[in-house]
Amino acid sequence: MVITGGTGYIGERVVALARSRGHTVVVASRRAPVAGDAKWIPFDMYSTGELVLPEGIQAIVHLAANTSPIDSAEADRELMAARKLLDAARQLSAKFVFVSSQTARPDAPTLYGQTKWRIEQDVLAAGGWVVRPGLVYGGAPRGLFGELMHTVQRFPVLPAFVPAPAIQPIHVDDLAAALIEIVCRSDIAPGVLRLACPEPVSFTSYLRALASDRLRTRRIFVPVPVVLLQGAAQMLKQHAGFRSAMERLRSLLDLPLMDSAADVKALGLHLRPLAVGMHPSGDMRRRQILLEGRALYSYVLRELPKGSLMRAYVRAVESLRNGASLSLPNSLTKWPSLLAAVDQGVRGDSGWISEFRWRLGAATRMAEATPEGARRFLGIPGRDGVVPVLLRIARAVVSEVAWRAVMPVVRPFVHVVSKRSNCGLS
Amino acid sequence: MKRDCDILIIGSGPAGVSAALPLVKAGLNVLMVDGGRRVVDPPPTENFLVWRRTERTQSRWMVGSEFQALKMQEAVSPKLRVPSLGYVFEDFEFENRVVGNDFVTIGSLATGGLSNAWGCGVARFSNDDLAQFPFQESQLLASYETVSRRIGISGRGTDDLSDYFGLDAWSQPPVPLDTLHAYMLEHYRKYRNLLNAQGFVLGRSRVAALTEAIGDRKPCERTGNCLWGCSRRALYSAVDEIPRLMSYGNFTLRSGFVVRAIARRNGSLAVEGSADGRQNCVMTAKKILVAAGTLATTRLVLTALGYQGERKLLSCPTAAFLAWVPRFLGAQRTPSFGLGQLSFALNLTAGARAMGSTFSTTGVPVSEFVSHAPLRNRYMTDILKNFLGSCVVGNVFLPGEFGAASARLSGNGQLIVSKSHDDTGSRLMVECSRILQRCFRKLGAVVIPGSFTVGKPGGDIHYAGTLPMRREPQIGETDSMGEVQGLDGVHVVDGASLSGLPEKSHTLTIMANADRIARRLVELCVSA
């Protein structure tokens, strides 16, 4: 497939995902992609030259766009470029997927939205697919998402618009997966596909999540009437940098609700919730591994581990165990002493059990390699009489014996856990 | 073709270095080649108990910045899990094309070889031990003395193992015992006759650790970092003798040259190897002394001979155990020497003997013990925290003939080492375990039931004797100069040429033999 704009914010993810699934991808962009070994053809929307696409192309995904067209002349040229691509697609009998915008309307307030609409019409007339994504977020700090991230990073105080505008987010990786679905499947009818979180999210919640989950920082939100946003947009029209972001933002915040539920379902998409998508890794795995580490350490150390220990655990799992999480059930992460049920006493060549043992052994070694560990494992500093020592040993022995007694009852549960969690590790 | 040197020595370990010194002193041109790996991460300098308690970044020594200790969780010895010792063991099997079949095959490409990570045990082979060797004990005596005085050994004392180890005349005073070991020694003195009657003898360990300075090397202060490497250089490592060799103009060290083959080229002896990324470097010499470590040496020699058969490999069966000294329950941990403090010898049936030593548990990560017991980690940690301080770790070695394995070349030139099936070793170990339980009780200690663990075959890392010295060597054997039958001018001076492997530590004997052979070579050279 050819991906125009393949070096852009969304394009980068689509290219990576498609290649990881084994598809042959040709990136069509002005500059060659940084990751050296992808196929590339130079493509500039504003060039008037011939467009030559390689033979055997099965689809064109048109992501290249000008997010802030200055005047209608530019808009027209973008339209011509799209038509050129459509022609090329027709000649090669390739699918054409156009990534438009939620703001696309014939009477859109921005030239951007209007241009998208006009291209959409051409694409639909030619029997192609049009995708209208909601507010795309996540992944690298680029595009509108990058500008918002930059803004949140810069200003400790942010506006909480009142009444809060609603947005419908979609994670960039979910959008990339959807685009590839459309390319690969033959049962999706051409037309407009609306892809976004069906339930809207308030823009303020979005910014809060951006601050706390992605940037790990606190921000103060001050209520600001929405009208001021429009006023600000007017004032900042002079400053090109802000202008495009403000305009796009304003147009996004002004939108009516997009009915995306049907299209999302038709494509079989499971859109990740905002809280998950806002994590730097884009998914919950890292957090799961952190919680897993905390549970294992608490079990061994009998106290909560320091942050540096937990981070070391995550690093160890990511570099040595492929970053897979054990998917421990909540009961075990909340009450680490229950890990005694899984530690020992469960036989089986269950891959999960042996992985658990490896991780427990690793956590034990890492826990020992700290001053707290020296206290816990070596008993230094300290000097005790025989009696307290004997009592402590006795208590440990009693606990061990008690667990052994209980194992016949507990074992079936552990087996269930190990089977259920196995899928997370493949 | 002009020869590169008179004598080419393969390997910079204890054998290579001990052979080089007499040759270099006599003015011969010596070229030494080795794998060249060096320390990357220096070991800690502070007292073990202090840095464990205070150092926030101690994980880099205990676990490793790349989690080396976790990668090696399955390895047979705790030494292999020490991140700063990675350079000693890495890539040996790959570069030297050695494969173990249910047998642990460990060697070193480091400058100084395995002596960078050894237990420092030293002993002199007795007349009986040397019965199989094709020369008199008297011929080795001068070398034992030279080497012992040169490297610095300690443990001198008039105890029941003085004759067994036979090194006191050349030793420094012993490293002081910690309180647990002093207590056990006291008890031994009380029950000495009873224990001797049962064939059990106890005494101080003799180790290659300084108690008096030699050159730049400082004496042991019991900082307890022995497992990680001695920053004071009190523990002997052949790498510390390299500067002295380099001070001679007729000595050259070519590091990073891994020898792949020994051959004859245009009538001269040559070694082929890879160095600096180039595959086919060749060096010629009048004589080649092979000291690459038993496994690597065996492969080189068998390949040069085109030997298709099997060679017997001697390897000492080994076991470890934990003994509890109840008197010290609840006592505070004190700084302790990390290597052997007391050693014992005991008589088994069939005239066999076993030898072992006991160590403080302080310098070994507790995690090593936690993983061993069939108790849950949490409770095992609870118990060990309160209990391990009053314990000592012990090890036991049987003579090498009972752990025999075999080595042969595979079709594509690898050395395959396989263990032989023989039950005598395991039966003797069971007997050992019983005797130790009985005898240690008299020492005021209890061997924890179930703690006696027999090591995996090859776990002693003591292998020797594949190309033994014989009076009338056949193909695959060597003569009293270590010269390989069928390969004139190639002498094996490391463990591969030992004619027998008793239960004692063998490194000092290897060094003495290398020294002896080198001195003989000098004599022959001078008379020629």
Side-chain angles (χ1 to χ4, degrees):
Chain A
M1 59 185 93
V2 168
I3 316 242
T4 74
T7 51
Y9 169 52
I10 303 174
E12 199 176 52
R13 299 303 264 227
V14 178
V15 168
L17 188 59
R19 292 186 70 208
S20 77
R21 295 209 186 150
H23 300 296
T24 313
V25 173
V26 177
V27 175
S29 55
R30 285 171 295 180
R31 274 193 277 267
V34 176
D37 54 344
K39 295 199 212 305
W40 173 65
I41 52 173
F43 171 73
D44 188 334
M45 278 194 309
Y46 296 114
S47 76
T48 46
E50 263 298 325
L51 178 63
V52 182
L53 295 180
E55 293 283 321
I57 291 294
Q58 288 164 306
I60 299 181
V61 179
H62 183 39
L63 275 162
N66 183 347
T67 53
S68 53
I70 304 171
D71 55 20
S72 52
E74 271 194 15
D76 287 338
R77 284 160 79 189
E78 194 167 335
L79 196 58
M80 298 313 310
R83 285 192 182 141
K84 243 195 320 199
L85 284 168
L86 276 169
D87 282 338
R90 189 183 4 250
Q91 277 176 11
L92 295 168
S93 307
K95 275 187 183 179
F96 194 93
V97 180
F98 174 58
V99 180
S100 178
S101 162
Q102 197 179 352
T103 63
R105 288 204 307 273
D107 55 343
T110 60
L111 192 53
Y112 172 74
Q114 294 164 17
T115 313
K116 287 294 195 191
W117 167 262
R118 287 165 71 192
I119 302 177
E120 277 187 12
Q121 300 319 297
D122 285 342
V123 172
L124 290 170
W129 288 259
V130 166
V131 171
R132 289 189 191 158
L135 181 57
V136 186
Y137 75 100
R142 300 180 62 186
L144 180 58
F145 173 65
E147 295 182 34
L148 285 170
M149 223 176 106
H150 187 65
T151 308
V152 172
Q153 210 154 24
R154 255 186 83 185
F155 299 105
V157 179
L158 294 166
F161 292 116
V162 173
I167 53 150
Q168 288 171 273
I170 178 169
H171 192 274
V172 65
D173 287 338
D174 287 336
L175 178 59
L179 291 171
I180 295 173
E181 276 296 287
I182 298 170
V183 164
C184 295
R185 280 167 66 165
S186 49
D187 60 333
I188 310 284
V192 175
L193 293 164
R194 296 162 181 87
L195 300 180
C197 183
E199 289 82 37
V201 163
S202 94
F203 186 57
T204 308
S205 312
Y206 175 85
L207 291 178
R208 277 190 209 278
L210 186 52
S212 72
D213 295 332
R214 180 64 188 254
L215 294 169
R216 316 267 170 150
T217 180
R218 286 181 186 282
R219 286 291 175 261
I220 301 171
F221 286 87
V222 172
V224 167
V226 147
V227 272
L228 282 186
L229 171 62
Q230 309 180 341
Q234 282 290 98
M235 282 195 313
L236 292 168
K237 249 194 175 143
Q238 316 306 321
H239 301 267
F242 261 127
R243 182 183 42 137
S244 79
M246 290 303 285
E247 274 207 0
R248 285 170 66 195
L249 191 58
R250 202 191 52 156
S251 62
L252 273 169
L253 297 183
D254 259 345
L255 290 172
L257 194 62
M258 185 165 72
D259 183 8
S260 57
D263 292 331
V264 166
K265 189 155 166 223
L267 276 174
L269 294 179
H270 294 285
L271 300 180
R272 67 200 72 187
L274 191 66
V276 174
M278 273 302 185
H279 260 268
S281 67
D283 59 29
M284 288 293 271
R285 256 181 346 166
R286 199 159 231 249
R287 183 149 183 275
Q288 282 185 320
I289 298 174
L290 260 172
L291 290 176
E292 172 186 310
R294 191 173 72 173
L296 290 173
Y297 283 131
S298 304
Y299 171 68
V300 170
L301 286 171
R302 285 189 180 275
E303 69 183 20
L304 278 177
K306 287 204 191 311
S308 51
L309 251 189
M310 294 207 283
R311 285 193 288 278
Y313 182 80
V314 174
R315 264 206 317 127
V317 170
E318 284 180 348
S319 62
L320 300 182
R321 312 311 276 179
N322 249 324
S325 129
L326 277 178
S327 303
L328 288 176
N330 286 340
S331 50
L332 292 181
T333 51
K334 237 166 64 175
W335 296 298
S337 54
L338 292 182
L339 284 170
V342 190
D343 177 11
Q344 300 285 352
V346 183
R347 235 127 265 287
D349 8 67
S350 160
W352 190 86
I353 294 281
S354 54
E355 181 64 27
F356 175 85
R357 294 242 163 84
W358 189 97
R359 301 214 182 178
L360 182 57
T364 306
R365 280 178 197 279
M366 292 198 282
E368 182 177 4
T370 58
E372 298 76 45
R375 227 179 23 233
R376 164 73 172 143
F377 285 80
L378 277 177
I380 52 168
R383 186 215 167 89
D384 294 302
V386 177
V387 174
V389 158
L390 277 174
L391 283 176
R392 274 184 240 134
I393 294 178
R395 195 180 71 179
V397 171
V398 164
S399 305
E400 171 73 27
V401 168
W403 270 105
R404 290 194 183 198
V406 158
M407 277 320 281
V409 173
V410 166
R411 201 166 287 130
F413 290 100
V414 178
H415 275 299
V416 167
V417 166
S418 73
K419 296 269 179 306
R420 204 181 65 192
S421 305
N422 238 336
C423 17
L425 285 177
S426 53
Chain B
M1 179 205 280
K2 178 182 177 299
R3 292 210 185 84
D4 290 311
C5 64
D6 291 329
I7 311 223
L8 191 148
I9 302 183
I10 306 176
S12 58
V17 158
S18 294
L21 278 163
L23 298 169
V24 156
K25 281 195 199 148
L28 293 167
N29 276 324
V30 174
L31 171 66
M32 185 181 272
V33 297
D34 77 351
R37 308 284 165 113
R38 297 269 182 157
V39 168
V40 172
D41 233 338
T45 49
E46 264 195 297
N47 190 298
F48 175 76
L49 290 173
V50 170
W51 64 261
R52 286 300 315 280
R53 216 176 53 223
T54 59
E55 184 61 55
R56 277 243 68 93
T57 60
Q58 60 184 263
S59 183
R60 75 180 198 269
W61 290 315
M62 302 269 288
V63 176
S65 51
E66 308 294 315
F67 305 110
Q68 295 90 314
L70 304 184
K71 287 186 200 159
M72 303 295 284
Q73 279 200 84
E74 306 298 314
V76 64
S77 162
K79 286 182 198 168
L80 298 167
R81 282 185 274 282
V82 176
S84 50
L85 291 183
Y87 78 98
V88 178
F89 304 107
E90 68 191 7
D91 296 334
F92 169 78
E93 281 154 299
F94 175 73
E95 293 284 346
N96 280 299
R97 312 194 63 208
V98 170
V99 174
N101 227 342
D102 277 339
F103 193 86
V104 173
T105 45
I106 289 177
S108 179
L109 291 172
T111 301
L114 287 175
S115 68
N116 286 300
W118 66 314
C120 298
V122 291
R124 175 152 74 100
F125 283 10
S126 67
N127 247 331
D128 285 339
D129 296 328
L130 292 171
Q132 302 275 6
F133 287 63
F135 50 80
Q136 301 285 29
E137 188 204 6
S138 50
Q139 289 178 294
L140 204 50
L141 211 54
S143 295
Y144 269 124
E145 176 171 2
T146 308
V147 175
S148 302
R149 289 194 191 282
R150 190 186 86 219
I151 72 175
I153 60 178
S154 60
R156 176 177 78 218
T158 44
D159 62 19
D160 289 347
L161 288 178
S162 289
D163 289 336
Y164 180 78
F165 287 121
L167 298 168
D168 289 346
W170 316 309
S171 294
Q172 298 175 353
V175 178
L177 295 174
D178 63 22
T179 43
L180 263 93
H181 283 93
Y183 175 82
M184 292 200 299
L185 187 59
E186 266 242 19
H187 270 247
Y188 173 75
R189 294 201 180 112
K190 263 200 317 206
Y191 295 100
R192 200 165 151 265
N193 293 329
L194 192 59
L195 287 168
N196 287 163
Q198 293 184 31
F200 179 89
V201 182
L202 187 81
R204 305 296 285 269
S205 298
R206 272 66 173 178
V207 286
L210 298 179
T211 47
E212 292 160 0
I214 291 185
D216 286 336
R217 295 171 55 204
K218 305 199 195 77
C220 172
E221 286 285 299
R222 292 185 293 160
T223 43
N225 294 320
C226 312
L227 181 62
W228 284 271
C230 184
S231 57
R232 300 173 64 80
R233 313 312 298 164
L235 302 179
Y236 173 73
S237 163
V239 74
D240 290 324
E241 301 207 89
I242 299 290
R244 184 160 157 220
L245 280 169
M246 307 266 279
S247 70
Y248 288 87
N250 48 330
F251 174 85
T252 319
L253 172 65
R254 188 116 186 241
S255 266
F257 186 108
V258 179
V259 175
R260 307 270 177 229
I262 298 172
R264 269 198 186 279
R265 282 187 173 219
N266 305 334
S268 345
L269 277 176
V271 294
E272 297 163 5
S274 46
D276 313 319
R278 290 190 339 263
Q279 286 307 316
N280 293 316
C281 306
V282 177
M283 302 216 174
T284 53
K286 287 200 199 102
K287 277 201 178 299
I288 297 180
L289 302 192
V290 195
T294 300
L295 298 178
T297 295
T298 306
R299 193 190 73 84
L300 286 172
V301 170
L302 293 186
T303 310
L305 285 173
Y307 191 91
Q308 298 300 325
E310 265 186 6
R311 299 300 308 163
K312 184 169 173 189
L313 171 75
L314 302 171
S315 158
C316 296
T318 178
F321 59 92
L322 195 65
W324 176 44
V325 188
R327 170 74 174 66
F328 287 86
L329 188 65
Q332 199 175 26
R333 295 251 189 196
T334 49
S336 212
F337 184 49
L339 302 179
Q341 299 191 40
L342 290 177
S343 293
F344 56 86
L346 47 100
N347 293 331
L348 302 169
T349 53
R353 205 147 53 159
M355 183 211 82
S357 305
T358 53
F359 306 70
S360 160
T361 57
T362 302
V364 180
V366 179
S367 305
E368 297 285 337
F369 299 98
V370 172
S371 46
H372 264 280
L375 264 73
R376 290 161 166 75
N377 273 27
R378 172 180 261 211
Y379 307 122
M380 197 59 206
T381 310
D382 288 337
I383 292 171
L384 287 175
K385 168 183 175 176
N386 292 288
F387 182 73
L388 203 57
S390 50
C391 292
V392 295
V393 185
N395 65 10
V396 162
F397 293 87
L398 293 179
E401 65 201 81
F402 297 111
S406 63
R408 61 175 175 82
L409 286 178
S410 74
N412 57 358
Q414 289 178 314
L415 186 77
I416 314 270
V417 185
S418 326
K419 70 167 194 249
S420 313
H421 294 281
D422 179 14
D423 291 318
T424 327
S426 12
R427 274 186 280 120
L428 285 172
M429 273 302 187
V430 170
E431 192 189 338
C432 225
S433 157
R434 272 190 297 110
I435 298 180
L436 284 173
Q437 290 198 326
R438 234 176 24 227
C439 295
F440 265 68
R441 229 166 288 151
K442 290 282 177 292
L443 301 179
V446 177
V447 175
I448 310 275
S451 73
F452 194 91
T453 317
V454 178
K456 291 197 190 140
D460 59 324
I461 319 181
H462 259 200
Y463 357 95
T466 44
L467 309 164
M469 294 181 286
R470 301 271 187 246
R471 271 184 224 290
E472 322 257 318
Q474 312 289 315
I475 302 285
E477 293 172 340
T478 51
D479 69 10
S480 64
M481 291 285 289
E483 193 162 16
V484 180
Q485 185 68 9
L487 278 182
D488 285 344
V490 177
H491 298 251
V492 173
V493 300
D494 61 15
S497 61
L498 291 185
S499 316
L501 186 64
E503 72 286 356
K504 293 174 178 161
S505 310
H506 68 337
T507 307
L508 191 69
T509 303
I510 292 177
M511 297 172 79
N513 188 45
D515 178 84
R516 178 192 66 88
I517 292 177
R519 289 207 222 189
R520 280 288 292 152
L521 283 174
V522 168
E523 277 172 28
L524 291 173
C525 210
V526 162
S527 63

